[in-house]
Amino acid sequence: MGFFGSAVDYFFRGGPCMWPLLVCYFAAIIVGFERIFYYNQTMSPDSFVTEFRDAMNNLDHDKALTLAKEAKGEVAQMAADMLTKEVDGCLGVRYENIVYGRTDRIIDAWEKHLGYLDVIVGLSPMLGLLGTITGMIASFNALNDRLSNPLAVTAGIGEALITTVFGLIISIIGMCIHSYLSSRLKSATLGVNEVADVLVNIHSLEHNM
């Protein structure tokens, strides 16, 4: 029958709970690929954060601005914007609010959709458990007809086991995707906060001299 044919056969033998499990599976995959693509487009490399921080600490604004303009990502764009003449008139608390306000918006955009993975990780085993219960109920109901249809009992048990396995597999996949994305998010969040801090600190130092 082949792997695909066997998978389809198991799917239909799993009962009605397999359909929401299938939705959870595709939702986890779609969210994972969407976030990975978005992170690749908007997260600046760690090397930029290090080089930009060193340049700012050395008060080398020209080098820092060049690094920000050449690097990709939202963090580099924010750094370039905050070093341009457009914000030269921003002093003290106003400058700090602008920097940290943009930082919060960047982080919020990165965290978007990750909550769906949390729901999938928690929901999939529960759907599998629901399928287990409905399958066992079907098995007990079939006990009355076991003489005329002896396979009905085993079919219900099979449905219970299949949904449990699929629910756990989808939950594990969701956990792996969430763990990977959370690791990237944590590293990028540290980076954007570091860039924001050095911008605010150096700006405050220069205007207090």
Side-chain angles (χ1 to χ4, degrees), residues 95-199:
Y95 185 90
E96 180 177 342
N97 288 340
I98 294 174
V99 173
Y100 288 125
R102 288 195 59 171
T103 299
D104 290 340
R105 287 194 296 272
I106 291 172
I107 295 174
D108 183 66
W110 287 341
E111 293 176 342
K112 190 177 181 181
H113 299 160
L114 289 185
Y116 295 140
L117 288 176
D118 290 328
V119 173
I120 292 170
V121 169
L123 181 61
S124 297
M126 301 305 292
L127 288 172
L129 179 60
L130 178 61
T132 298
I133 294 173
T134 57
M136 295 305 295
I137 291 174
S139 297
F140 289 130
N141 290 336
L143 288 175
N144 296 327
D145 301 325
R146 62 185 182 278
L147 296 179
S148 59
N149 187 13
L151 296 179
V153 176
T154 58
I157 296 175
E159 175 184 332
L161 297 177
I162 290 170
T163 54
T164 300
V165 170
F166 272 79
L168 291 175
I169 290 174
I170 294 170
S171 180
I172 291 171
I173 292 173
M175 288 177 64
C176 292
I177 296 173
H178 189 277
S179 178
Y180 171 73
L181 295 177
S182 296
S183 177
R184 292 193 61 178
L185 175 61
K186 181 179 179 180
S187 177
T189 299
L190 291 174
V192 69
N193 285 327
E194 190 171 356
V195 169
D197 289 339
V198 75
L199 282 169

Side-chain angles (χ1 to χ4, degrees), residues 47-121:
S47 58
F48 161 74
V49 175
T50 302
E51 294 175 4
F52 180 84
R53 179 199 61 207
D54 293 341
M56 289 296 293
N57 287 331
N58 293 327
L59 302 181
D60 189 350
H61 287 209
D62 291 336
K63 180 180 179 181
L65 182 58
T66 300
L67 289 170
K69 288 183 176 180
E70 292 178 350
K72 70 171 186 177
E74 295 289 340
V75 181
Q77 181 63 51
M78 178 192 72
D81 291 343
M82 299 309 297
L83 289 175
T84 57
K85 294 180 180 179
E86 297 178 4
V87 294
D88 280 349
C90 297
L91 301 175
V93 176
R94 184 184 172 197
Y95 185 90
E96 180 177 342
N97 288 340
I98 294 174
V99 173
Y100 288 125
R102 288 195 59 171
T103 299
D104 290 340
R105 287 194 296 272
I106 291 172
I107 295 174
D108 183 66
W110 287 341
E111 293 176 342
K112 190 177 181 181
H113 299 160
L114 289 185
Y116 295 140
L117 288 176
D118 290 328
V119 173
I120 292 170
V121 169

